[in-house]
Amino acid sequence: MTPRRQKRLVIVLALVLGLGATVGLVLYALNQNMNLFYTPSELINGKTDGGAKPEVGQRLRIGGMVVKGSVKRDPQSLRITFKVADIGPSVTVIYDGILPDLFREGQGIVAQGVLINPTTVKASEVLAKHDENYMPPEVADAMKINHKRLQYTEEQLQGK
């Protein structure tokens, strides 16, 4: 191989390795910034497609209905704790800030934050539904799936 071809080969290999490293770093960064959506049942029991549970410290979004009687406000600050549930267990959400005007008990919400223990989320943002008939599609789909799973489990327990 002539020196000129060797030089070209080295340049092409360096470009391919550099491009590969760049693509790998971009994919790693995107994976770190991904916020996964969970319902309270999926957060506690795991996702239906493999049983994956989020790890403590992971950023996520959780959606469901605010449990009636669960909203507790700290009179000294803007800290609010409340429980969110779908058809199964409930998850505690801690939020420090001003809630949306449409937030109330029995209302559908989506909270974005960090999992601080297996049943508690520290929210950085809380979104309330904008209309009495609206539910985010992710929440509606997840609730349907969990409802079917719950019915299937009850049928198994009854021996059908």
Side-chain angles (χ1 to χ4, degrees):
M1 195 180 300
T2 65
R4 186 174 180 185
R5 284 191 176 182
Q6 284 180 340
K7 189 175 180 181
R8 284 184 185 168
L9 180 62
V10 168
I11 290 172
V12 169
L13 286 175
L15 287 173
V16 169
L17 287 175
L19 184 63
T22 302
V23 168
L25 289 172
V26 166
L27 289 176
Y28 178 74
L30 289 175
N31 190 28
Q32 294 297 318
N33 291 328
M34 189 182 311
N35 290 329
L36 296 176
F37 180 82
Y38 291 90
T39 63
S41 295
E42 290 174 342
L43 190 68
I44 293 172
N45 301 326
K47 289 264 191 190
T48 55
D49 57 351
K53 290 184 180 181
E55 299 174 6
V56 171
Q58 179 178 335
R59 291 187 53 78
L60 54 84
R61 289 186 303 150
I62 184 167
M65 305 298 272
V66 178
V67 176
K68 292 188 179 192
S70 69
V71 177
K72 294 180 179 53
R73 298 175 189 267
D74 183 0
Q76 306 300 323
S77 67
L78 294 175
R79 181 175 288 249
I80 299 152
T81 61
F82 56 92
K83 293 189 181 290
V84 175
D86 50 0
I87 57 165
S90 63
V91 172
T92 303
V93 177
I94 301 169
Y95 181 64
D96 197 5
I98 298 172
L99 289 169
D101 291 338
L102 296 174
F103 179 89
R104 64 181 177 273
E105 296 175 348
Q107 175 88 19
I109 62 109
V110 174
Q112 181 173 321
V114 177
L115 187 66
I116 57 175
N117 71 43
T119 60
T120 307
V121 174
K122 181 165 178 44
S124 58
E125 182 178 19
V126 174
L127 305 171
K129 69 181 183 176
H130 61 74
D131 164 276
E132 63 189 47
N133 298 320
Y134 175 76
M135 180 176 291
E138 299 164 318
V139 175
D141 293 342
M143 287 179 74
K144 285 178 189 174
I145 290 169
N146 287 332
H147 184 67
K148 288 178 184 176
R149 182 174 26 159
L150 184 64
Q151 283 180 333
Y152 179 74
T153 304
E154 288 175 355
E155 288 174 0
Q156 283 182 329
L157 290 173
Q158 293 174 358
K160 290 185 178 179

